[in-house]
Amino acid sequence: MAQLERIVILTGAGISAESGIDTFRSAGGLWEQHKVEDVATPEGFMRDPDLVLGFYDMRREALAKVDPNPAHRALARLESEFDGELLLVTQNVDDLHERGGAKSVLHMHGELKSALCTACEVRSPWDAPMGDRPPCPVCQAPSLRPDVVWFGEMPYQMERIYASLTRADLFVSIGTSGAVYPAAGFVQEARMAGARTLELNLEPSEGTHFFHEARHGPAGELVPAWVEEVLGS
Ligand code: BV8
């Protein structure tokens, strides 16, 4: 393997599946229990804030009952031992990368443990329910919403992500169905910029044909093995 200097990793719900967190599109997953347009759009929030706040309160509460798995810990090991540049981007709103030891995680779709105030627009760390309309820690208005990126909203730090994709030697996509843009298009950006591209997923994703290489199986096995390979090379 040529000297690796810059790696960009994108993770999705599949990396947290073995920790017991529902993915979106598996049987019985999050989107089977709710309609996307009802719980993951600004329109849905305007229409029924109690439903949406309850949906995210339930997911935030569930976080306390699950633990990071070997895949999260392997990426934290890579972050600390890899002597090149690593950008870890996640579509996940859970905090399992951080609890697995990762120090720098880019949550492009926001985080369950962050609150966005619709009055003062300040984001604050948050680990409590929102259904009871608590006051914003900054402006006291009872106007908090989950600090997550809904459909139709702009994901966070896109410039930083694209700047890294255009300079990457290797792009690795882990545990994502490749169903949602712009994240699903990252593999094409990286490939056009000359990066090698690798998919680690339980089954072929919707974009699997864009990858130079794809390995299929549980992240808890594939990711530690791949990290060992990279650090050993
Ligand atoms: C935007 C946060 C523009 C909230 C999420 C038509 C064509 C193209 C695009 C569009 C279109 N119409 C609309 C759009 C845009 C839209 C979009 O892509 N829609 C799709 C449905 C077509 N995108 C947006 O709206 C985005 N914003 O485009 O803004 C803009 C421009 C200018 C100005 C303003 C705006 C924003 C999208 C973000 C939505 N928020 N999440 C929350 O968490 O509730 S999306 C959510 O679903 C995730 O974050 C993720 O991004 C996405 C996909 O989920 P995955 O993580 O991939 O999970 P999934 O269940 O799908 O798959 C799991 C995978 O894991 C599977 O492949 C499975 O095999 C695998 N797996 C399972 N177990 C394991 C495993 N792998 C390994 N090991 C295991 N054990």
Side-chain angles (χ1 to χ4, degrees):
M1 188 182 291
Q3 175 58 24
L4 265 185
E5 282 163 19
R6 288 184 287 272
I7 303 177
V8 176
I9 296 175
L10 173 71
T11 65
I15 199 168
S16 297
E18 288 156 85
S19 296
I21 292 195
D22 281 348
T23 64
F24 292 94
R25 287 168 183 80
S26 60
L30 283 170
W31 297 145
E32 275 199 353
Q33 300 155 33
H34 302 278
K35 295 218 308 271
V36 167
E37 53 274 18
D38 290 342
V39 292
T41 61
E43 298 77 15
F45 181 60
M46 299 288 286
R47 199 166 44 242
D48 189 345
D50 288 329
L51 174 73
V52 175
L53 294 175
F55 175 62
Y56 287 94
D57 284 354
M58 176 270 292
R59 288 172 66 190
R60 192 177 303 103
E61 252 169 71
L63 264 190
K65 303 180 188 105
V66 297
D67 295 309
N69 65 57
H72 297 108
R73 281 194 285 277
L75 293 186
R77 179 188 167 213
L78 180 71
E79 183 189 59
S80 67
E81 295 181 23
F82 177 56
D83 54 13
E85 281 174 40
L86 173 68
L87 177 65
L88 175 53
V89 184
T90 187
Q91 299 169 89
N92 299 341
V93 292
D94 67 52
D95 61 346
L96 292 180
H97 279 299
E98 291 85 351
R99 286 165 56 198
K103 301 276 177 291
S104 171
V105 185
L106 198 166
H107 285 270
M108 66 178 288
H109 288 163
E111 300 173 73
L112 283 170
K113 290 194 168 177
S114 175
L116 172 61
C117 179
T118 56
C120 69
E121 297 187 344
V122 173
R123 297 161 64 190
S124 309
W126 193 263
D127 195 5
M130 287 185 190
D132 54 356
R133 301 302 196 283
C136 165
V138 173
C139 76
Q140 314 315 319
S143 313
L144 295 181
R145 61 163 269 190
D147 181 20
V148 298
V149 176
W150 285 324
F151 288 93
E153 295 186 322
M154 180 57 96
Y156 290 132
Q157 303 192 55
M158 290 304 294
E159 301 75 30
R160 182 172 161 217
I161 297 170
Y162 283 123
S164 296
L165 290 171
T166 53
R167 300 170 57 242
D169 303 310
L170 176 63
F171 172 73
V172 189
S173 177
I174 302 172
T176 181
S177 58
V180 171
Y181 289 81
F186 290 172
V187 58
Q188 291 159 270
E189 296 290 332
R191 192 167 177 144
M192 276 189 289
R196 274 195 59 72
T197 54
L198 169 65
E199 172 175 270
L200 305 178
N201 205 55
L202 194 63
E203 70 231 344
S205 72
E206 293 186 24
T208 196
H209 51 285
F210 288 120
F211 290 86
H212 293 106
E213 183 188 357
R215 301 179 192 174
H216 297 131
E221 288 166 29
L222 290 183
V223 179
W226 170 71
V227 166
E228 185 55 42
E229 202 177 287
V230 170
L231 294 178
S233 67

